[in-house]
Amino acid sequence: MSEHKNILKKIRYVKSEYLDESLLKEYYEYIKNNGIEEVEDVSEADLIISFGGDGTTLVAAKEALKKNVPVMAVNMGSLGYLAEISPENLVEMLKRYQNGQYVVDERAFLEVKYNKKTYYALNELVLLKGGMMSHLIQVEVYENNTFVNEYRADGVIVATPTGSTAYSLSAGGSIVYPGLKAVTITPLSPQGLTARPIIIDGGNTLSFKVFSRDNDAHLNLDGSICIKVKQDDTINARLSNKKVKIIKSGKNDYYSILRQKLKWGDAIIK
């Protein structure tokens, strides 16, 4: 639990387009009464607040890359692995943040170098075929220039520990504790039955060679950036030293969130 108190004067908002503003009436009254203002430029902000689900939190995390400012994620979506604060508890959480009664959950980005450009993904990069009618792609994976495997599949997911409970999990990947410096390689609908997910050291550099019979392969980052990939493109990835700081109450530990979201222990048939 942090003991660092924070002066809160300016907030940058990141909102879902489906946001129900009526749920935030108490919050808006609080910031108005306390002279806290909204800013558009994150460089001026003391805090970023995201209103939505985990997808909105991903957008807020990218904003935090521009300035080392923490993110408070309010769950107004469905799952909410990252966004744990409810709208009705937001005012209380703001007070706790100002008084230093909070926990900082640091999550590492995946640093992706595509040709000469660098991108950051909090969840995953996906190398995948272009569409339903496209042929399977062939992806060669190397770790520090050592050959790992060749996948003939719909695609390959490379997930951070944060992303291990997202797309990778739905494709059969393992859940990875957020504090581990590791990444998961998960094949997406592979042709061979022996292709299985593997967890590797996130400090090592992964590189990829992608082959597509119909020239229809793509690089997707967190579902928000999609780039058509050519056979001679250079693609590298490793876990970055850059992290986003997510403000949490500390009332729920990681495993309690998993039990709640994944319904661990619930009866299958009632």
Side-chain angles (χ1 to χ4, degrees):
M1 186 74 69
S2 174
E3 296 180 356
H4 178 69
K5 294 187 177 183
N6 298 280
I7 297 174
L8 187 57
K9 293 296 183 183
K10 297 181 179 181
I11 296 176
R12 167 78 169 109
Y13 294 138
V14 178
K15 297 180 179 180
S16 165
E17 60 179 311
Y18 306 107
L19 182 65
D20 184 357
E21 298 275 3
S22 65
L23 298 175
L24 301 172
K25 183 179 179 180
E26 181 186 359
Y27 166 74
Y28 287 133
E29 288 179 355
Y30 177 81
I31 63 169
K32 180 180 179 181
N33 293 335
N34 287 271
I36 302 171
E37 62 178 296
E38 175 186 0
V39 294
E40 291 296 326
D41 188 347
V42 71
S43 65
E44 301 177 9
D46 304 310
L47 178 70
I48 299 172
I49 300 183
S50 68
F51 296 102
D54 283 345
T56 310
T57 308
L58 293 181
V59 177
K62 302 292 175 55
E63 286 280 302
L65 279 170
K66 302 173 185 177
K67 179 187 177 182
N68 188 20
V69 57
V71 173
M72 188 175 290
V74 182
N75 185 15
M76 302 183 76
S78 52
L79 280 176
Y81 287 100
L82 293 174
E84 67 157 9
I85 301 168
S86 63
E88 55 267 27
N89 292 330
L90 178 54
V91 170
E92 176 194 351
M93 193 62 227
L94 271 185
K95 293 177 180 177
R96 291 172 62 91
Y97 176 70
Q98 290 171 294
N99 292 324
Q101 300 170 329
Y102 61 94
V103 169
V104 177
D105 183 7
E106 291 190 333
R107 299 297 183 99
F109 287 92
L110 190 69
E111 183 176 290
V112 182
K113 294 187 177 180
Y114 171 73
N115 292 337
K116 295 183 179 181
K117 292 187 176 181
T118 301
Y119 301 88
Y120 293 92
L122 189 60
N123 270 357
E124 73 275 304
L125 77 78
V126 187
L127 293 163
L128 72 168
K129 68 176 189 175
M132 290 293 293
M133 301 303 293
S134 300
H135 289 95
L136 298 180
I137 62 173
Q138 184 177 317
V139 181
E140 292 182 1
V141 181
Y142 298 81
E143 180 189 17
N144 287 351
N145 297 319
T146 299
F147 179 64
V148 176
N149 201 358
E150 177 183 277
Y151 300 95
R152 182 172 170 79
D154 282 352
V156 173
I157 304 168
V158 179
T160 66
T162 299
S164 71
T165 52
Y167 194 7
S168 178
L169 181 62
S170 69
S174 299
I175 296 173
V176 181
Y177 188 78
L180 294 178
K181 191 173 184 179
V183 296
T184 305
I185 304 171
T186 304
L188 186 59
S189 300
Q191 186 179 56
L193 296 178
T194 58
R196 291 291 182 265
I198 182 172
I199 300 171
I200 68 166
D201 186 342
N204 293 337
T205 299
L206 291 173
S207 55
F208 309 91
K209 293 181 180 179
V210 183
F211 307 91
S212 171
R213 286 174 56 187
D214 43 17
N215 192 31
D216 197 16
H218 294 79
L219 168 66
N220 189 292
L221 302 173
D222 278 352
S224 60
I225 297 174
C226 190
I227 304 167
K228 190 167 185 177
V229 174
K230 296 186 286 293
Q231 185 170 318
D232 57 351
D233 285 343
T234 301
I235 306 170
N236 297 318
R238 63 177 295 163
L239 212 58
S240 174
N241 290 326
K242 292 188 177 183
K243 299 180 180 181
V244 60
K245 298 176 181 177
I246 300 176
I247 302 300
K248 296 191 174 184
S249 65
K251 295 179 180 179
N252 297 313
D253 60 59
Y254 181 68
Y255 300 108
S256 68
I257 293 172
L258 288 182
R259 288 195 300 272
Q260 177 188 356
K261 303 302 179 182
L262 298 179
K263 309 297 182 182
W264 285 354
D266 284 8
I268 298 176
I269 300 176
K270 296 183 179 180

